Amino acid sequence: DERSIPARAFTRAFRRARAMDLHTTIHAGEADGPASVFDAITHLHVERIGHGFRAAEDPDLVELLSRRGIALELCPTSNVATGLISSIEEHPARALYDAGALTTINTDDGAFFDTNIEKELRLAHERLKFTREEVRQMLFHSAGAAFIAGTERRSLAREIRRVSDGAMTTKGGLPRKVSSRRP
């Protein structure tokens, strides 16, 4: 609960995780405002922000996210389902992407919110007006932000390229099904 327990309360735990060479992410900028994203960056030094869409309310914060290459794990369906955003079209994913934030599209809890990555990518394309190439770029952002070894990241990027190259030549421009093969 980012409102009740601020990020700085976890400073010691995150410092310890980084000392153990663990990657770090936290929910911020979802139920609470942009200050929670700023605190996650400055107190916890995270590599990714779960949700983080409220960062769009602060252009300086978006610039900081961009400069540091901190990925935002955006989950449009989840944010609408929880009532944090009134409609998909009002989701700030487009504004964050256009402002240079490292945006990724995600499902949050796919079973709970009755979604999957294919649905989320289609929403991004059809209702948030991302072009096919921009959706593809966000997939590459996801690969770059994945907490996996460099060889696995390169393999994932190759798989994204392979699937999306084929999809770019078909009607609709987005893959019908992403390979379930793990890198």
Side-chain angles (χ1 to χ4, degrees), residues 13-59:
F14 275 71
R15 186 180 309 124
R16 190 167 177 203
R18 281 190 312 281
M20 295 168 45
D21 288 327
L22 297 174
H23 293 283
T24 56
T25 184
I26 192 170
H27 274 223
E30 180 185 23
D32 204 6
S36 67
V37 175
F38 185 78
D39 285 352
I41 295 168
T42 59
H43 294 289
L44 306 182
H45 309 283
V46 295
E47 299 165 77
R48 287 192 324 230
I49 302 283
H51 296 283
F53 68 85
R54 300 281 306 272
E57 299 167 21
D58 182 344

Side-chain angles (χ1 to χ4, degrees), residues 29-31 51 53-54 73-93 106-109 112-115 119-120 123-124 127-128:
E30 180 185 23
H51 296 283
F53 68 85
R54 300 281 306 272
E73 304 164 3
L74 303 176
C75 306
T77 296
S78 166
N79 300 145
V80 172
T82 58
L84 296 169
I85 295 178
S86 59
S87 72
I88 293 293
E89 290 79 9
E90 291 182 25
H91 197 283
N106 302 271
T107 61
D108 200 0
D109 185 332
F112 187 78
F113 294 111
D114 188 30
T115 193
K119 287 181 182 179
E120 294 300 312
L123 283 173
R127 296 183 56 196
L128 292 171

